[in-house]
């Protein structure tokens, strides 16, 4: 039986090749998007799963006590270093506790002998217990003693090979220079651990033990904050544990306050009590202390990919039921010969399953092909065959497969197996028409999705173009940002390099906003402004546009004292004709200092377009010396500044031989700001392409089928004198109505969605009409083209052939 | 073998109710070859479908040997049908995706006949039907007469007690039609009971008895003497 049914299925597929390809291909497309999403979810879920022992590792979190605008409760992953000590003496369940310093800067400089320094990220300083908590596998050295001595360091295998081209590095030494001007710490390598192949929350290239984490600050008023991890011998009851931690912590706070002669009740008068808790390492990744977690972030993507899978399943259902008429006779005959309905149901379900299997394999091939581009585009490291979770993925795929088989196969199977043998054998396929209304609804549904996508792409494209071309209020080319402070000696040297036009620094740089506010009094009004300190040349370096007045200049003595420049936003708050006027500022000893406004500049964007430019006052101050801004802006007078950069680097090396030079162009920095936006747009484009192709495939196959089913009608009409064009039009009409209905439905839907998206931008285009019109034209044109292709074929065929068989 | 009493079948569509069978009383003896004749629309096919358990009448009784068939549920009807009945249709109704051999094999599969025996039975009947060199062909590659012979072969391969044929020669020219009729006669001579609907008195002349329907009634019955004498 099975063999025969298989034969029937295969012969049917071969007979309707186009249909089969579309049906299976469509499903494969829908599955591909879904599988990619599954891979991504699996990847995120695989955080901190590289060892079974990590089940018993906990991260300590302290309640965040600072003011946050949204007034929500936050638990930060940085805790007072003293917490480690009190846990050690009060929570005996924890067998090992380690403190890790937070990572700061852009990486540390590793200096091996007299070699060039190399910048290495994620070299973290810990106490000696790190490897007692985190069970990394030592390739060289021993976890018990590796970090025992101060000034020891354990490298990841990958870093060892990067630095030394070998893992035989025990006993070798290097100097770790943590910031510019740091004299450096000599470190001796005492171990090499294996890289793990699933992502980690505690990322590191090397763990150093400098000894800094071994002691808490002596003054009870001073605190040192870092990450604390603890390991228990067995799984703990976290509710119980956290109750204990909370009590221990409050006691500690009370004691510490009385040492500092502070009143505990007064400090916590607002009711926000200090808090301490432990969360499992496994849950760390899902619960970032401040950011939205990944599930929230990708929810829209999950939605869309489920939607696409649904669309492709709908296609499948649609095409299968449409096609089922061709199987009607088979069903009739089999029933007459004594087949049960259940047998037929099973047969058709199995057929769907077989197609599902093929689709699944195709989608796996597609996924394999797409992964590199996907990883690049979304900055992740997904893999399929190499994945650690291959087994999980396969079991998930099996589930998906069963689900799509049931979803896609059940309805067609039900329709088919329900055919009444008498009527089908009489040549009456009325049953086959039953699904028409449903199929129309499904076609409309698909087109609604596609048209919505096309509109969304259009609007997004226009917003992107707007942002790329928008006047930023400064000239972003020919400027680089060197990661260093304003060090007079260095600045003097590079100012002499030919081609360097300005060198300056400011407290506010692209994409890195540290806003400090200042309250001023102007004409009796108190106004709050954002304050930015700059060096004399900074505004010139940025190339801001002067609206009235002037920028700071050496020629004016008072510019280093009490001159200010406002941006347009601030000027709008203050009034008109501001240049030359003064405002007052109350200093910390309650004296009123007067500042004169010397110029007004056009707003310049130092952040993305989702944020408004704050009303800002710019003031010259001495940012050299200890005021480390860590960004040195350099403007060149040519676009071709690679040669000049070389010269700057030479100066750098002679002054700072221990720390590599880092820089980025403002152009890149700005693109970086737009990157997230661009990624999102690209993803929507990807999904749209899939969705639109699915809809078209569906329409193509459905029109093929309709043309075929109406062959006889077409033949009769032609015999009666209808022209080919008339017949093509006739077939087109029914589909056009569907596509138009879909357009009407999708306009308001698209409007609402796109409006919401646009509202996320402080600087945005007006809701454009063009994408709506274009989407409609595209959908209609493509639908007409698709249907006509089929209709023409049916129309030009010889009517005699069609009639002969009846 | 068959005893039908007061059979009534009404087709209800949105506007009209058609009484296709209006109190039919009928018997068929074992080994008999009965023809059903009558004007178009008088209910011949409907009667045959009811007899073949493909359709359910509103009321009446249908006894096959001693079993009442109208009270069976769907599954029992399927089972009874596949064990005891064979069908031949006017428009052949072969499955296009299966070869001649496979088409004939199908009912045996539903009757759970083991593979070895299946092959033997199919080959036997193919030989008897004189379509040996066509066994690997698909229905579309055969002439109408050949297709109908395959259909007859398919109806016979399970050695059913009753063969129901609805205008088996309707789509065939007279010489092919005669071939099929001769096949049915041969079959009848080996003991199979046959009920055939036909418009052709020529075809009807092959049978033992002719039943005339009109407006869902049996209006007359005629014993075909020549054929019966032949039999004796
Ligand atoms: N599915 C149906 N729905 C409604 N009425 C039907 C249906 N099938 C048959 N009928 C009606 O029942 C009556 C008997 O039909 P039936 O097919 O039995 O006639 P017939 O004697 O076989 O005619 P023909 O010689 O043309 O094949 C006819 O009036 C027909 O219109
Ligand atoms: Mg009939």
């Amino acid at each position: 039986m099975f063999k025969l049914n298989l034969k029937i299925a295969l012969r049917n597929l071969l007979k309707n090749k186009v249909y089969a390809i579309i049906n299976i291909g469509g499903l494969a497309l829908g599955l591909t998007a879904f599988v990619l999403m599954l891979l991504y979810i699996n990847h995120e879920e695989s955080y901190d799963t590289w060892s079974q022992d990590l089940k018993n590792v906990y991260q300590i979190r302290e309640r965040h006590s600072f003011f946050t605008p949204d007034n929500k409760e936050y638990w930060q992953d940085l805790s007072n270093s003293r917490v480690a000590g009190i846990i050690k003496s009060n929570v005996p369940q924890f067998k090992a506790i380690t403190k890790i310093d937070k990572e700061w800067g852009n990486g540390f400089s590793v200096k091996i002998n007299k070699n060039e320094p190399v910048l290495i990220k994620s070299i973290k300083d810990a106490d000696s217990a790190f490897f007692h908590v985190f069970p990394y596998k030592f390739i060289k050295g021993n976890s018990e003693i590796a970090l025992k001595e101060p000034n020891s360091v354990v490298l990841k295998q990958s870093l060892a090979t990067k630095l030394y081209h070998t893992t035989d590095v025990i006993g070798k030494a290097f100097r770790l220079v943590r910031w510019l001007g740091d004299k450096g710490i000599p470190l001796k390598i005492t171990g090499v651990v294996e890289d793990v192949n699933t992502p980690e929350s505690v990322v590191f290239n090397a763990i150093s033990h400098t000894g800094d984490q071994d002691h808490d600050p002596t003054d009870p008023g001073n605190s040192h904050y870092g990450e604390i991890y603890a390991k228990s011998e067995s799984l703990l009851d976290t509710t119980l544990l956290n109750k204990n931690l909370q009590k221990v912590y409050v006691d500690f706070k009370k004691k510490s306050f009385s040492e500092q002669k502070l009143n505990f009740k007064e400090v916590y008068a607002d009711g926000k009590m200090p808090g301490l808790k432990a969360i499992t390492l496994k849950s760390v990744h899902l619960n970032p202390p401040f950011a939205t977690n990944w599930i929230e972030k990708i929810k829209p993507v999950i939605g869309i990919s489920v939607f696409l899978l649904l669309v492709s399943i709908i296609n499948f259902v649609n095409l299968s039921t449409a096609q089922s008429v061709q199987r009607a006779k088979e069903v009739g005959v089999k029933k007459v010969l004594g087949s049960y309905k259940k047998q037929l149901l099973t047969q058709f379900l199995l057929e769907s399953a077989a197609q599902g299997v093929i689709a699944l394999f195709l989608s796996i091939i597609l996924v394999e092909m797409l992964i590199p581009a996907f990883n690049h585009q979304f900055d992740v490291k997904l893999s399929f065959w190499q994945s650690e979770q291959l087994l999980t993925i396969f079991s998930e795929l099996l589930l998906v497969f069963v689900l799509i088989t049931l979803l896609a196969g059940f309805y067609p199977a039900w329709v088919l197996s329900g055919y009444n043998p008498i009527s089908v054998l009489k040549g009456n396929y009325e049953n086959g028409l039953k699904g028409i209304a449903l199929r129309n609804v499904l076609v409309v549904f698909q087109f609604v999705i596609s048209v919505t996508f096309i509109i969304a792409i259009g609007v997004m494209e226009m917003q992107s173009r707007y942002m790329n071309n928008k006047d930023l209020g400064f000239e972003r080319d020919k400027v680089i940002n060197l990661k260093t402070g304003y060090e007079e000696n260095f600045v003097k040297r590079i100012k002499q390099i030919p081609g360097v036009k300005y060198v300056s620094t400011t407290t506010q740089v692209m994409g890195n906003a540290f806003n400090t506010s200042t309250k001023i009094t102007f004409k009796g009004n108190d106004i709050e402004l954002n304050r930015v300190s700059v060096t004399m040349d900074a505004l010139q370096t940025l190339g801001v546009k002067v609206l009235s007045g002037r920028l700071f200049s050496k020629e004016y003595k008072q510019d280093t004292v009490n001159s200010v420049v406002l941006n347009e936003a601030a000027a709008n708050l203050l009034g008109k004709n501001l240049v030359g006027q003064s405002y007052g500022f109350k200093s910390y000893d309650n004296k009123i200092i007067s500042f004169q406004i010397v110029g007004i500049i056009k707003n310049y964007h130092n952040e993305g377009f989702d944020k408004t430019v704050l009303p800002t006052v710019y003031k010259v101050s001495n940012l050299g010396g200890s005021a480390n801004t860590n960004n040195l802006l350099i403007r060149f007078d040519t676009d071709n500044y690679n040669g000049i950069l070389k010269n700057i680097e030479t100066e750098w090396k002679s002054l700072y031989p221990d720390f590599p030079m880092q820089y980025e162009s403002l152009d890149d920095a700005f693109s970086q700001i737009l990157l997230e936006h661009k990624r999102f747009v690209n993803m929507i484009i990807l999904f749209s392409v899939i969705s639109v192709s699915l809809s078209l495939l569906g329409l193509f196959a459905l029109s093929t089928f309709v043309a075929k089913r109406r062959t006889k009608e077409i033949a009769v009409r032609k015999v009666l004198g209808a022209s080919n064009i008339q017949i093509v039009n006739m077939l087109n009409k029914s589909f056009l109505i569907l596509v138009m209905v879909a357009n009407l439905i999708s306009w308001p839907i698209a409007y609402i969605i796109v409006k919401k998206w646009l509202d996320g931008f402080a600087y945005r285009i007006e809701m454009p009409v063009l994408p709506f019109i274009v989407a409609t034209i595209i959908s209609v044109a493509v639908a007409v083209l698709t249907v006509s292709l089929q209709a023409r074929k049916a129309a030009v065929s010889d009517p005699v052939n069609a009639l002969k068989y009846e | 073998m068959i005893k039908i009493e007061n059979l009534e079948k009404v087709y209800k569509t949105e506007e009209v109710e058609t009484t296709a069978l209006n109190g039919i009383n009928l018997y068929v003896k074992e080994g008999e070859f009965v023809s059903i004749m009558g004007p178009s629309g008088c209910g011949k096919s409907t009667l045959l479908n009811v007899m073949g358990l493909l359709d359910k009448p509103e009321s009446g009784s249908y006894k096959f040997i001693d079993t009442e068939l109208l009270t069976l549920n769907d599954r029992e009807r399927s089972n009874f049908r596949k064990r005891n009945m064979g069908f031949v249709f006017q428009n052949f109704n072969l499955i296009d995706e299966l070869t001649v051999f496979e088409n004939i094999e199908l009912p045996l599969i539903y009757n759970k006949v083991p593979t070895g025996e299946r092959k033997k039975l199919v080959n036997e009947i193919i030989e008897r039907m004189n379509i040996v060199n066509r066994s690997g062909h698909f229905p579309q590659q055969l002439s109408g007469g050949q297709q109908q012979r395959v259909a007859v072969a398919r109806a016979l391969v399970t050695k059913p007690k009753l063969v129901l044929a609805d205008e088996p020669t309707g789509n065939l020219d007279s010489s092919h039609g005669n071939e099929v009729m001769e096949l049915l006669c041969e079959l009848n001579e080996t003991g199979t009971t046959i009920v055939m609907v036909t418009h052709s008195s020529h075809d009807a002349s092959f049978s033992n008895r002719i039943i005339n329907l009109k407006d869902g009634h049996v209006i007359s019955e005629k014993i075909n003497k020549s054929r019966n004498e032949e039999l004796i």
Side-chain angles (χ1 to χ4, degrees):
Chain A
M1 186 80 242
F2 179 75
K3 218 169 92 194
L4 221 52
N5 281 340
L6 190 70
K7 273 186 197 164
I8 295 179
L10 281 181
R11 284 169 192 162
N12 254 310
L13 284 183
L14 288 178
K15 202 162 77 183
N16 306 293
K17 281 187 212 75
V18 180
Y19 155 82
I21 289 170
I22 289 177
N23 215 359
I24 295 173
L27 201 56
L29 267 180
L31 268 172
T32 302
F34 194 76
V35 171
L36 276 174
M37 187 204 64
L38 267 187
L39 284 183
Y40 184 78
I41 291 180
N42 282 329
H43 171 263
E44 292 293 301
E45 294 218 307
S46 71
Y47 262 79
D48 304 311
T49 54
W50 50 269
S51 164
Q52 279 296 317
D53 288 349
L54 293 171
K55 275 203 316 271
N56 300 332
V57 175
Y58 296 81
Q59 186 189 55
I60 307 299
R61 288 198 172 183
E62 208 177 301
R63 186 182 281 130
H64 183 67
S65 55
F66 300 108
F67 166 75
T68 49
D70 55 4
N71 239 334
K72 270 192 210 144
E73 186 180 86
Y74 288 102
W75 290 81
Q76 58 186 24
D77 51 0
L78 296 179
S79 310
N80 189 328
S81 62
R82 291 187 183 87
V83 165
I86 51 170
I87 292 178
K88 200 171 269 171
S89 44
N90 288 294
V91 190
Q93 294 97 312
F94 287 138
K95 297 299 172 214
I97 298 170
T98 185
K99 291 183 277 182
I100 311 165
D101 202 11
K102 58 184 176 290
E103 191 179 2
W104 29 276
N106 235 325
F108 292 162
S109 169
V110 170
K111 178 102 170 146
I112 302 171
N113 302 328
K114 291 271 174 287
N115 296 357
E116 292 274 304
V118 217
L119 198 76
I120 303 292
K121 278 189 196 271
S122 304
I123 296 183
K124 292 187 172 166
D125 195 40
D127 56 18
S128 56
F130 183 86
F131 291 106
H132 302 165
V133 174
F134 291 97
Y136 283 91
K137 196 173 155 213
F138 274 70
I139 304 173
K140 295 280 146 66
N142 176 329
S143 68
E144 284 307 313
I145 53 164
L147 292 177
K148 205 161 182 186
E149 300 300 323
N151 291 7
S152 53
V153 64
V154 172
L155 308 187
K156 275 257 178 83
Q157 185 180 3
S158 51
L159 181 62
T161 26
K162 183 178 169 187
L163 293 176
Y164 297 98
H165 308 287
T166 169
T167 53
D168 264 327
V169 292
I170 300 271
K172 292 196 187 272
F174 60 78
R175 207 148 54 84
L176 188 69
V177 182
R178 289 163 295 175
W179 59 86
L180 196 62
D182 177 21
K183 63 181 193 321
I185 318 166
L187 292 175
K188 208 174 104 193
I189 301 172
T190 53
V192 176
V193 293
E194 216 172 51
D195 285 270
V196 294
N197 33 26
T198 55
E200 309 144 278
S201 289
V202 182
V203 185
F204 68 93
N205 279 314
I207 295 290
S208 64
H209 176 214
T210 58
D212 289 355
Q213 313 307 319
D214 293 351
H215 320 281
D216 301 322
T218 35
D219 179 356
N222 279 348
S223 304
H224 175 67
Y225 277 82
E227 291 175 26
I228 299 175
Y229 294 89
K231 188 185 192 181
S232 64
E233 222 133 61
S234 55
L235 214 61
L236 302 179
D237 177 352
T238 37
T239 355
L240 218 69
L241 169 69
N242 286 334
K243 226 182 235 162
N244 187 18
L245 280 176
Q246 176 69 23
K247 185 184 158 297
V248 166
Y249 186 60
V250 171
D251 289 348
F252 153 76
K253 275 275 180 189
K254 282 183 175 156
K255 196 166 143 252
S256 142
F257 275 31
S258 69
E259 275 169 22
Q260 296 175 62
K261 315 229 171 340
L262 289 170
N263 187 325
F264 183 84
K265 286 227 174 74
E266 260 170 37
V267 173
Y268 291 105
D270 58 356
K272 274 192 192 161
M273 291 290 283
L276 193 73
K277 68 173 181 184
I279 64 171
T280 57
L281 184 65
K282 186 86 219 297
S283 59
V284 166
H285 181 62
L286 186 58
N287 298 291
F290 300 104
T292 29
N293 68 40
W294 62 268
I295 291 187
E296 286 301 319
K297 266 191 219 151
I298 66 162
K299 252 186 193 162
V301 184
I302 297 180
I304 293 176
S305 52
V306 169
F307 228 48
L308 285 187
L309 185 61
L310 222 60
V311 168
S312 60
I313 288 175
I314 287 173
N315 247 352
F316 193 97
V317 173
N318 225 350
L319 293 174
S320 303
T321 35
Q323 236 255 342
S324 62
V325 173
Q326 300 194 3
R327 308 291 296 274
K329 192 161 95 182
E330 178 192 333
V331 173
V333 170
K334 282 185 169 172
K335 280 198 169 172
V336 169
L337 294 182
S339 171
Y340 311 131
K341 184 167 174 172
K342 217 173 89 197
Q343 285 174 312
L344 289 164
L345 203 68
T346 321
Q347 179 199 340
F348 290 117
L349 263 178
L350 281 179
E351 269 184 39
S352 297
Q355 296 180 53
V357 167
I358 301 173
L360 201 61
F361 273 109
L362 277 180
S363 80
I364 289 174
I365 294 172
L366 268 173
V367 164
E368 269 292 289
M369 281 169 24
L370 283 175
I371 274 186
F374 187 87
N375 282 342
H376 178 74
Q377 188 56 243
F378 301 112
D379 200 20
V380 284
K381 286 200 200 85
L382 304 185
S383 60
F384 190 86
W385 293 111
Q386 294 81 28
S387 171
E388 283 298 301
Q389 302 99 37
L390 200 58
L391 211 69
T392 325
I393 292 173
F394 270 117
S395 48
E396 282 166 354
L397 285 185
L398 190 71
L399 207 75
V400 169
F401 163 71
V402 170
L403 207 73
I404 58 167
T405 301
L406 286 180
L407 275 176
F410 192 79
Y411 180 72
W414 182 258
V415 169
L416 268 170
S417 58
Y419 277 143
N420 174 357
I422 305 172
S423 41
V424 288
L425 293 183
K426 224 159 77 179
N428 183 351
Y429 296 156
E430 246 167 64
N431 275 322
L433 297 176
K434 243 192 220 149
I436 278 278
L438 177 75
R439 282 203 291 277
N440 286 348
V441 170
L442 295 180
V443 166
V444 169
F445 179 69
Q446 285 184 335
F447 265 82
V448 167
I449 296 176
S450 294
V451 171
T452 309
F453 266 128
I454 297 176
I455 294 173
I457 297 179
V459 176
M460 286 175 164
E461 205 45 53
M462 289 171 84
Q463 171 72 10
S464 302
R465 213 174 293 161
Y466 167 81
M467 290 194 292
N468 281 326
N469 297 333
K470 183 165 163 49
D471 184 2
L472 297 171
F474 74 97
E475 286 159 22
R476 57 172 149 141
D477 53 342
K478 300 184 206 164
V479 185
I480 62 159
N481 181 5
L482 223 59
K483 302 281 183 220
T484 179
Y486 193 85
E487 220 266 306
E488 295 290 352
N489 184 20
F490 178 62
V491 170
K492 208 165 73 201
R493 288 199 199 187
I494 55 174
K495 268 188 177 166
Q496 279 156 10
I497 297 171
V500 172
K501 213 167 152 192
Y502 296 111
V503 183
S504 64
T505 188
T506 123
T507 53
Q508 182 188 60
V509 172
M510 290 308 313
N512 151 33
F514 265 107
N515 300 321
T516 40
S517 69
T518 180
K519 212 180 259 166
I520 64 158
T521 317
F522 184 68
K523 290 184 175 162
N525 298 322
D526 279 353
I527 297 167
E528 188 147 336
L529 296 176
N530 176 38
R531 190 187 60 200
V532 174
S533 300
V534 295
T535 54
M536 196 64 91
D537 290 343
L539 294 177
Q540 284 88 337
T541 314
L542 286 165
V544 300
K545 297 197 176 58
V546 182
L547 292 177
S548 60
R550 60 174 180 85
L551 297 181
F552 302 118
S553 160
K554 276 199 199 72
E555 293 154 38
Y556 302 89
K557 269 264 149 50
Q558 78 272 20
D559 276 8
T560 51
V561 188
N562 68 342
S563 298
V564 293
V565 168
L566 300 182
N567 72 359
E568 216 177 338
N572 289 340
L573 281 181
L574 264 60
K576 287 208 167 72
N577 297 324
L578 293 167
V579 176
Q581 300 208 47
S582 294
Y583 67 74
F585 169 74
K586 204 193 280 171
S587 74
Y588 62 94
D589 48 0
N590 276 337
K591 272 192 223 139
I592 302 288
I593 306 169
S594 171
F595 286 93
Q596 191 189 26
I597 300 164
V598 297
I600 291 164
I601 60 168
K602 203 166 151 87
N603 287 343
Y604 89 79
H605 293 261
N606 69 306
E607 288 185 87
F609 291 105
D610 49 343
K611 311 215 174 61
T612 20
V613 175
L614 297 170
T616 306
V617 46
Y618 300 88
K619 155 126 190 42
V620 172
S621 74
N622 179 14
L623 289 171
S626 60
N628 202 327
T629 49
N630 206 30
N631 47 68
L632 193 67
L633 299 172
I634 303 174
R635 175 169 289 281
F636 305 107
D637 51 16
T638 165
D639 267 325
N640 214 337
Y641 51 76
N642 277 338
I644 312 171
L645 259 175
K646 284 256 154 54
N647 293 335
I648 294 176
E649 193 153 9
T650 315
E651 290 296 340
W652 175 279
K653 277 182 186 160
S654 74
L655 263 176
Y656 314 120
D658 290 347
F659 212 87
M661 181 171 103
Q662 290 172 270
Y663 71 91
E664 67 180 341
S665 72
L666 282 204
D667 231 358
D668 289 346
F670 189 76
S671 308
Q672 202 64 39
I673 290 177
L674 290 185
L675 194 65
E676 183 130 342
H677 161 78
K678 210 169 142 63
R679 278 192 186 144
F680 184 71
V681 172
N682 281 345
M683 190 176 59
I684 296 295
I685 291 180
L686 176 76
F687 279 132
S688 315
V689 169
I690 295 181
S691 156
V692 172
S693 16
L694 280 177
S695 309
L696 287 183
L697 286 181
L699 190 68
F700 179 78
L702 203 58
S703 57
T704 313
F705 162 75
V706 168
K708 209 187 253 170
R709 215 196 61 227
R710 291 173 72 169
T711 319
K712 188 173 153 200
E713 178 194 340
I714 291 167
V716 172
R717 279 174 193 267
K718 277 190 78 174
V719 169
L720 297 179
S723 73
N724 288 348
I725 307 242
Q726 277 170 322
I727 284 166
V728 171
N729 283 347
M730 174 190 87
L731 287 173
N732 258 321
K733 223 192 288 167
S734 53
F735 285 107
L736 262 187
I737 292 171
L738 297 184
V739 175
M740 282 316 295
V741 169
N743 267 291
L744 286 179
I745 298 174
S746 46
W747 282 340
I749 296 176
Y751 182 87
I752 293 167
I753 294 174
V754 169
K755 178 106 182 31
K756 207 169 157 208
W757 182 77
L758 273 181
D759 283 345
F761 292 88
Y763 299 90
R764 57 176 179 255
I765 50 173
E766 284 298 307
M767 178 68 81
V769 188
L770 195 68
F772 289 80
I773 298 172
V774 170
T776 304
I777 293 175
I778 289 179
S779 60
V780 169
V782 174
V784 167
L785 210 74
T786 311
V787 176
S788 297
L789 223 65
Q790 284 310 311
R792 218 186 100 77
K793 217 159 61 199
V796 297
S797 66
D798 197 340
V800 180
N801 285 330
L803 294 178
K804 209 166 63 183
Y805 290 110
E806 291 298 318
Chain B
M1 184 168 73
I2 291 173
K3 193 160 198 255
I4 286 172
E5 279 168 354
N6 279 324
L7 211 57
E8 264 185 52
K9 171 78 197 169
V10 181
Y11 285 112
K12 292 193 184 81
T13 51
E14 276 126 46
E15 293 126 41
V16 284
E17 275 188 15
T18 318
T19 309
L21 300 178
N22 192 2
I24 298 258
N25 291 302
L26 188 83
Y27 69 90
V28 178
K29 285 189 218 146
E30 189 152 6
E32 222 181 352
F33 184 166
V34 177
S35 292
I36 298 175
M37 295 187 77
S40 194
C42 68
K44 305 182 294 289
S45 297
T46 308
L47 176 60
L48 210 66
N49 288 337
V50 170
M51 290 175 78
L53 298 178
L54 294 171
D55 216 347
K56 269 188 176 158
E58 264 64 44
S59 61
S61 141
Y62 174 16
K63 283 216 174 75
F64 194 98
I65 310 183
D66 279 322
T67 328
E68 174 58 59
L69 296 184
L70 296 184
T71 53
L72 299 182
N73 65 25
D74 274 353
R75 203 177 171 91
E76 290 163 339
R77 282 149 67 92
S78 290
N79 282 337
F80 192 89
R81 187 161 65 230
K82 74 184 171 199
R83 281 180 204 134
N84 300 301
M85 296 173 182
F87 288 85
V88 181
F89 300 94
Q90 177 180 0
N91 48 357
F92 325 138
N93 282 326
L94 298 173
I95 294 179
D96 300 332
E97 288 76 27
L98 295 181
T99 61
V100 167
F101 188 96
E102 289 160 351
N103 260 297
I104 301 173
E105 193 185 9
L106 199 56
L108 293 175
I109 294 175
Y110 282 117
N111 276 309
K112 300 208 168 67
V113 178
T115 322
E117 197 179 341
R118 229 154 60 204
K119 296 269 175 294
K120 204 185 90 205
L121 285 172
V122 175
N123 281 325
E124 251 174 46
I125 201 118
I126 280 181
E127 222 161 283
R128 205 166 120 203
M129 293 292 150
N130 208 5
I131 41 177
V132 177
N133 49 1
R134 298 273 179 243
S135 74
H137 286 56
F138 288 97
Q140 248 86 50
Q141 299 165 323
L142 302 180
S143 74
Q146 288 165 335
Q147 285 188 47
Q148 194 60 306
R149 266 186 288 168
V150 175
V152 173
R154 185 179 64 187
L156 301 188
V157 74
T158 53
K159 306 210 166 77
K161 293 199 180 72
L162 174 68
V163 167
L164 299 165
D166 195 345
E167 303 185 43
T169 61
N171 276 358
L172 301 176
D173 64 33
S174 57
S175 79
H176 279 121
N178 275 338
E179 273 177 30
V180 169
M181 286 318 299
E182 273 156 24
L183 261 176
L184 289 177
C185 279
E186 257 176 58
L187 181 68
N188 180 237
E189 276 154 25
T190 57
T192 311
T193 314
I194 298 177
V195 177
M196 174 182 78
V197 166
T198 182
H199 279 286
S200 140
S201 29
H202 172 75
D203 287 355
S205 69
F206 286 85
S207 60
N208 306 127
R209 189 154 57 101
I210 300 164
I211 296 173
N212 266 304
L213 291 192
K214 197 176 178 222
D215 297 335
H217 291 288
V218 178
I219 50 164
S220 69
E221 241 190 71
K222 195 173 97 200
I223 309 281
N224 191 347
K225 287 215 182 83
S226 58
R227 167 95 169 126
N228 283 342
E229 274 157 18
E230 239 172 67
L231 256 179
I232 300 157

